């Protein structure tokens, strides 16, 4: 196997799906706290006639599992020890922005939040794991949406600068790998969480969902994300050149295959890649605002203008590496209206993918697509690549023997990791593989516990009950072998 000696092996989670303690030690709600799954477009906020603003209004009939999640806030030492037991040398999680700046617009950070992450990152280091930290994993403080309209407002850049500067100052000695916005290229698919955008208008028009946003707001958010990303790189490098900043994009949209060799369908596939991945990847990695967007802006009837200073900032401050999630591929033609969810894009079924996951969520499994994705990204950007999400969610229950024989997950990681090795052999500079959800967490898309990704099981269920005890699945031992042999046991 082609894995370099210092290859990063590990796993990835996110604060909002793992920690719980949603209002503990000063934290205030963020966007995911008011949703039961991103795909349910029904945030627990309501319009207040008197103030002329949205405010928190959770639905009492719903179980917001992320509020307690799997209690990682109180159990991270025990969990990180379990991760170290598999031989992880890297671990990805996020900082919940709202623990550091609870409403997002304060002048001073919340010390309790800083102390929490200080200890968590020290713990990772003690256990031999390189922290890979996402600055915002769908975690924009809710107040920034209800008060300012979220990322469509350039004021957020200022709040973000304060937040990232605080993080780099406080944690820069322990954390070298920073990711800016998790899957920010899902902005148009999931504007409320991935974009952190809310159009503040009295929703008298009941035909509009509460979280509806105008296209102009979404493109304004795009503009502000490009500027904020470049500023993050600049701040980090000026403060300490050893800090490495990467973007984090959902790249299931790279493996978007044309249905056949009809030239129109080939072009559709190209446009799907541009419209879903490269439109963020190109500015972040190449420092350009792509020319192909002009047509899209015309079609959307929006105005997007960058100043000369902004263009220079974007040009001068490209990311150090490219990190991404990969769950699936899809197939397009000129007729299809592409849909999607947290897996990425979904179009036409691919008859060549015979390897179907035994699960109710229906995501196609395409390990070869990961090799393809790595090659396309490396050809385009020539930057070190880091896989920070790939995994399979299954409906599982603990057997009488106290474990889960998750053979499909074993097969899934083996096939994907073999394709990573093949891509490295192709010449791709891939630096690591961080499996998504090494411990069961709340699903981002559906808000369920039932959709389990872990090598470690957590006793908690969709109705909220459970002891929260941890148990080891069989895939834990296989991943450990793969890591210990640096992939060689897959030969
Ligand atoms: C990605 C998100 C993660 C994660 C994953 C799996 O889009 O970055 O937060 O949860 O998808 O999705 P789900 O939890 O919906 O199965």
């Amino acid at each position: 196997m082609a894995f370099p000696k210092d290859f990063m092996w590990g796993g990835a989670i996110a604060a909002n799906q793992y920690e719980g303690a949603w209002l503990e030690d000063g934290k205030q709600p963020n966007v995911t706290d008011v949703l039961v799954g991103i795909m349910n477009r029904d945030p627990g906020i309501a319009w207040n006639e008197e103030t002329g603003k949205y405010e928190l209004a959770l639905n009492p009939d719903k179980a917001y599992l992320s509020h307690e999640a799997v209690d990682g806030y109180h159990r991270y030492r025990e969990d990180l020890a379990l991760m170290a037991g598999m031989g992880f040398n890297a671990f990805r999680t996020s900082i919940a922005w709202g623990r550091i700046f609870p409403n997002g617009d304060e002048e001073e950070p919340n010390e309790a939040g800083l102390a929490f992450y200080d200890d968590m990152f020290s713990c990772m280091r003690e256990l031999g794991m390189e922290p890979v930290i996402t600055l915002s994993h769908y975690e924009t403080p809710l107040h920034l949406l209800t008060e300012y309209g979220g990322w469509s407002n350039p004021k957020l850049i200022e709040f973000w600068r304060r937040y990232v500067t605080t993080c780099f100052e406080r944690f820069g000695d322990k954390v070298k790998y920073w990711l800016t916005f998790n899957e920010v290229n899902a902005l148009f698919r999931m504007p409320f969480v991935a974009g952190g955008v809310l159009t503040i208008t009295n929703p008298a028009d009941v035909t509009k969902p509460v979280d509806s946003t105008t296209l102009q707001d979404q493109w304004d958010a795009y503009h502000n994300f490009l500027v904020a990303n470049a500023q993050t790189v600049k701040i980090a490098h000026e403060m300490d050149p050893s800090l490495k900043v990467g973007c984090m994009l959902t790249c299931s949209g790279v493996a978007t295959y044309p249905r056949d060799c009809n030239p129109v369908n080939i072009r559709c596939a190209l446009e799907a890649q541009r419209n879903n991945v490269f439109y963020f990847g190109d500015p972040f990695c190449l420092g350009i605002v792509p020319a192909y967007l002009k047509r899209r802006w015309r079609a959307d009837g929006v105005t997007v203008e960058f100043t000369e200073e902004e263009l220079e900032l974007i040009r001068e401050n490209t990311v150090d590496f490219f990190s991404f999630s990969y769950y699936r591929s899809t197939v397009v033609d000129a007729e299809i209206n592409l849909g999607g969810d947290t897996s990425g894009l979904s179009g036409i079924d691919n008859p060549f993918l015979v390897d179907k996951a035994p699960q109710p969520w229906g995501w196609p499994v395409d390990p070869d697509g990961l090799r393809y994705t790595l090659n396309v990204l490396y050809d385009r950007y020539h930057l070190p690549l880091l896989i920070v999400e790939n995994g399979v969610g299954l409906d599982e229950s603990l057997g009488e023997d106290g474990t889960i024989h998750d053979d499909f997950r074993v097969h899934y990681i083996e096939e994907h990791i073999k394709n990573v090795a093949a891509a490295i052999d192709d010449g791709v500079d891939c630096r690591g593989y961080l499996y998504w959800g090494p411990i069961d967490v709340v699903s981002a898309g559906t808000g369920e516990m039932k959709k389990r990704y872990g090598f470690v099981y957590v006793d908690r269920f969709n109705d909220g009950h459970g002891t929260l005890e941890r148990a080891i699945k069989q895939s834990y031992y296989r991943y450990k072998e793969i890591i210990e042999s640096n992939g060689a046991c897959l030969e």
Side-chain angles (χ1 to χ4, degrees):
M1 285 282 154
F3 294 104
K5 265 207 214 62
D6 53 356
F7 192 72
M8 290 162 89
W9 292 104
I13 54 170
N16 75 85
Q17 291 167 261
Y18 169 71
E19 291 174 4
W22 76 300
L23 295 178
E24 215 164 307
D25 291 335
K27 182 180 164 293
Q28 289 295 308
N30 55 37
V31 284
T32 43
D33 290 326
V34 297
L35 283 166
V36 179
I38 299 173
M39 298 321 294
N40 303 317
R41 290 192 58 188
D42 184 18
I45 55 174
W47 183 258
N48 181 326
E49 283 294 341
E50 268 169 38
T51 58
K53 285 177 187 166
Y54 282 102
E55 58 185 36
L56 189 68
L58 297 179
N59 183 336
D61 299 328
K62 286 189 175 172
Y64 296 85
L65 293 187
S66 63
H67 292 182
E68 283 83 37
V70 292
D71 196 33
Y73 194 73
H74 303 108
R75 295 170 195 248
Y76 60 92
R77 287 199 155 258
E78 162 198 349
D79 292 338
L80 288 172
L82 284 168
M83 301 303 127
M86 276 180 277
F88 282 19
N89 60 14
F91 190 73
R92 171 185 178 223
T93 187
S94 62
I95 296 177
W97 184 351
R99 290 203 193 283
I100 312 300
F101 288 94
N103 283 317
D105 58 357
E106 294 88 347
E107 295 282 331
E108 296 299 324
N110 171 28
E111 177 54 34
L114 290 169
F116 169 73
Y117 289 109
D118 229 346
D119 189 64
M120 186 192 261
F121 302 153
S122 299
C123 181
M124 286 184 202
R125 286 242 166 255
E126 283 159 25
L127 291 165
M129 288 184 260
E130 185 78 47
V132 176
I133 302 304
T134 318
L135 286 155
S136 183
H137 192 124
Y138 302 154
E139 282 148 354
T140 311
L142 183 67
H143 175 78
L144 295 184
L145 278 77
T146 54
E147 186 66 29
Y148 302 94
W151 274 100
S152 54
N153 188 332
K155 276 197 183 139
L156 262 78
I157 301 173
E158 209 35 59
F159 303 141
W160 173 260
R161 284 171 56 92
R162 198 178 300 156
Y163 164 58
V164 301
T165 305
T166 304
C167 290
F168 295 155
E169 276 169 356
R170 181 70 175 245
F171 308 124
D173 57 336
K174 298 185 180 109
V175 179
K176 298 296 173 194
Y177 292 89
W178 294 94
L179 315 183
T180 48
F181 309 101
N182 181 68
E183 297 189 338
V184 65
N185 53 322
L187 158 64
F188 288 84
R189 207 160 62 237
M190 312 187 280
F192 187 75
V193 271
V197 197
L198 179 68
T199 300
I200 304 180
T201 46
N202 185 340
D205 178 359
V206 289
T207 58
K208 282 189 190 156
V210 175
D211 65 342
S212 67
T213 42
T214 63
L215 275 175
Q216 184 64 55
D217 277 351
Q218 291 171 28
W219 281 110
D220 287 345
Y222 172 81
H223 181 166
N224 293 329
F225 278 127
L226 262 44
V227 173
N229 190 80
Q231 293 209 354
T232 312
V233 175
K234 189 169 192 285
I235 293 168
H237 289 173
E238 282 175 0
M239 196 181 290
D240 175 357
S242 75
L243 301 184
K244 302 291 170 214
V245 180
C247 56
M248 193 298 185
L249 303 184
T250 156
C251 281
S252 303
V254 172
T256 297
Y257 311 131
R259 183 163 60 87
D260 52 32
C261 52
N262 180 339
V264 176
N265 295 336
I266 306 283
R267 182 169 46 77
C268 282
L270 172 75
E271 285 178 2
Q273 291 180 323
R274 284 174 167 177
N275 287 335
N276 292 287
V277 182
F278 302 147
Y279 77 124
F280 267 104
D282 292 353
F284 286 170
C285 302
L286 305 175
I288 54 154
V289 179
Y292 54 77
L293 283 179
K294 295 211 171 108
R295 236 192 74 216
R296 193 167 158 197
W297 292 337
R298 259 201 321 275
D300 283 353
V302 295
T303 311
V304 190
E305 275 164 8
F306 290 84
T307 64
E308 273 312 311
E309 292 78 53
E310 287 172 338
L311 291 174
E312 194 188 325
L313 180 84
I314 291 164
R315 198 164 46 242
E316 301 292 311
N317 296 282
T318 51
V319 293
D320 300 306
F321 63 97
F322 186 105
S323 81
F324 67 98
S325 57
Y326 173 81
Y327 291 95
R328 63 174 297 166
S329 57
T330 197
V331 178
V332 288
D333 68 10
E335 308 302 319
I336 186 95
N337 264 333
L338 271 175
D341 52 23
T342 43
S343 67
L345 303 177
S346 74
I348 303 164
D349 278 349
N350 187 336
F352 296 97
L353 299 184
V354 283
D355 198 8
K356 290 255 186 290
Q359 35 103 328
W361 296 281
W363 293 1
V365 177
D366 179 9
D368 288 275
L370 178 54
R371 177 176 178 179
Y372 173 79
T373 300
L374 283 159
N375 274 282
V376 170
L377 291 174
Y378 194 61
D379 281 354
R380 195 171 182 108
Y381 299 131
H382 302 281
L383 280 175
L385 303 178
L386 192 55
I387 301 160
V388 294
E389 282 189 36
N390 171 243
V392 62
L394 303 169
D395 183 1
E396 303 168 310
S397 17
L398 212 54
E400 281 184 3
D401 57 355
T403 186
I404 290 170
H405 296 267
D406 50 345
D407 299 344
F408 191 80
R409 182 169 294 109
V410 168
H411 171 67
Y412 183 98
I413 57 170
E414 288 180 351
E415 292 311 306
H416 282 85
I417 292 169
K418 280 185 209 163
N419 274 284
V420 178
I424 293 173
D425 206 31
D426 293 335
V428 172
D429 182 9
C430 176
R431 302 281 175 95
Y433 177 86
L434 309 186
Y435 176 85
W436 173 259
I439 177 166
D440 292 350
V441 294
V442 178
S443 155
T446 67
E448 296 182 278
M449 270 310 299
K450 189 169 150 179
K451 191 175 186 188
R452 300 174 180 278
Y453 284 81
F455 302 125
V456 172
Y457 174 85
V458 178
D459 188 76
R460 192 169 190 227
F461 302 90
N462 276 4
D463 63 2
H465 90 278
T467 61
L468 292 167
E469 264 169 45
R470 278 54 173 156
I472 296 204
K473 303 181 196 174
Q474 291 308 296
S475 54
Y476 183 99
Y477 301 109
R478 185 55 176 157
Y479 195 37
K480 183 175 158 61
E481 274 169 10
I482 295 172
I483 296 174
E484 265 170 11
S485 67
N486 203 25
C489 68
L490 296 175
E491 268 169 41

